[in-house]
DNA sequence: TTAGTTTAAGACAATAAACTCTTAAATAGG
DNA sequence: CCTATTTAAGAGTTTATTGTCTTAAACTAA
């Protein structure tokens, strides 16, 4: 799997928030139900995004989370880094420590190109833009496709 | 992580075998020591490659494993499929079931291109060729670079 | 035939990832 | 002030992956 499950859940929730263009807070409970993700698990993942200032949270009644200014400008790359860390973009394809051209493994030359193409894809994919497109074209965000972009 | 640890171990062992151009059997015990991989774990992984006819094995003294004719012609893609299965090349980036253009998720259009570039990289990388190159250029196959291509 | 070597197979254990639950802290509204 | 609601934090549980161990089967050579 390219991305961890935590990361995928985080991306789906971020797309959810990005599709709502107003600045109000959305409850994690509601999001978890609409997206079919465990509430407590999603909470922990979104805390990572909040800690990285991609989201803002507010406690209490009518509280929830929303995209920060930084979050609205973010790309999928930023979200992946916040949740899975930079490993995918720095590590050796054969798992050897210290991937680099000084001591390359046999896959190094092939891998750095492919790795860059993954990175570029994520960097050029703006969260808000992809959410807008998903909303327009009614792309699905859940297994059963039952989620509605509202 | 792009590839599982099992898969990476299998690739490294396959590169080891591909660098030996004679058709004799190499003991898994020796390979596991030279490559710093747990013997029993490596055995199980190589059994998968043997089951998929990429390797041939022989029991008893002077036994071991060697590349089959199919194995010699194989690409990294074949090895990845044999160990990790086809998931990486068929599954949705958001983990939704049934990735396809009928019911795409917001990442689908970006992901299928990137996925294809990973697949093409693995398919164009011939095991024997990459092992030859690794041998010539003394690329490393272990963490400490202590492995010698002999 | 017997003992030693090697892969095959599968049970078992340790670790990591995924998921759940409980309690605390902040906030709103009555 | 009190209660309900919501995120924060972290402990605990389950499941998947990784790694170890034991026994069996195939084979060699003495
Ligand atoms: S050293 Fe292995 S991919 Fe860079
Ligand atoms: S449906 Fe999500 S990547 Fe194809």
């Amino acid at each position: 799997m390219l991305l961890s499950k935590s990361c995928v859940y985080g991306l789906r929730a971020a797309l959810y928030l990005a599709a709502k263009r107003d600045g109000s807070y959305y409850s994690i409970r509601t999001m978890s139900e609409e997206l079919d993700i465990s509430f407590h698990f999603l909470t922990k993942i979104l805390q990572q995004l909040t800690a990285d200032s991609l989201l803002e949270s507010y406690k209490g009644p009518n509280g929830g989370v929303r995209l920060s200014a930084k979050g609205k400008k973010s790309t999928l790359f930023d979200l992946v880094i916040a949740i899975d860390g930079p490993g995918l973009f720095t590590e050796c394809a054969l798992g050897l420590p210290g991937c680099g051209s000084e001591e390359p493994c046999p896959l190094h030359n092939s891998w750095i190109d492919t790795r860059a193409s993954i990175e570029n894809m994520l960097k050029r994919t703006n969260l808000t833009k992809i959410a807008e497109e998903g909303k327009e074209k009614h792309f699905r965000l859940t297994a059963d496709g039952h989620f509605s972009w509202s």
Side-chain angles (χ1 to χ4, degrees), chain A:
Chain A
M1 207 174 357
L2 188 77
L3 306 173
S4 72
K5 258 181 152 181
S6 294
C7 191
V8 161
Y9 291 162
L11 289 179
R12 286 169 55 204
L15 287 166
Y16 178 107
L17 291 171
K20 317 280 188 184
R21 266 165 305 186
D22 62 346
S24 60
Y25 291 100
Y26 289 87
S27 99
I28 302 178
R29 172 71 67 185
T30 306
M31 290 174 59
S32 75
E33 283 163 2
E34 293 191 32
L35 295 174
D36 289 317
I37 301 172
S38 147
F39 165 66
H40 288 102
F41 196 26
L42 182 58
T43 298
K44 223 190 308 195
I45 295 160
L46 297 189
Q47 280 170 17
Q48 293 182 261
L49 298 181
T50 304
D52 204 24
S53 308
L54 292 163
L55 298 185
E56 291 162 348
S57 70
Y58 199 80
K59 292 177 183 172
N62 304 313
V65 293
R66 68 180 179 195
L67 284 177
S68 66
K70 181 181 173 189
K72 281 177 188 160
K73 283 181 289 186
S74 69
T75 64
L76 298 188
F77 181 77
D78 300 317
L79 293 157
V80 170
I81 292 285
I83 299 173
D84 276 350
L88 180 61
F89 313 106
T90 60
E91 284 169 8
C92 169
L94 291 184
L96 304 178
C99 168
S101 46
E102 316 81 37
E103 266 196 313
C105 77
L107 299 200
H108 185 77
N109 290 330
S110 301
W111 174 231
I112 54 174
D113 289 345
T114 304
R115 196 170 64 180
S117 94
I118 298 172
E119 185 170 333
N120 288 335
M121 182 273 276
L122 294 172
K123 278 186 171 162
R124 97 171 72 89
T125 309
N126 179 270
L127 177 65
T128 307
K129 273 187 197 151
I130 205 89
E132 284 303 322
E133 189 190 355
K135 199 170 167 177
E136 274 170 32
K137 302 188 181 168
H138 301 97
F139 289 159
R140 69 180 169 153
L141 218 42
T142 57
D144 53 17
H146 207 260
F147 167 77
S148 86
W149 291 86
S150 76

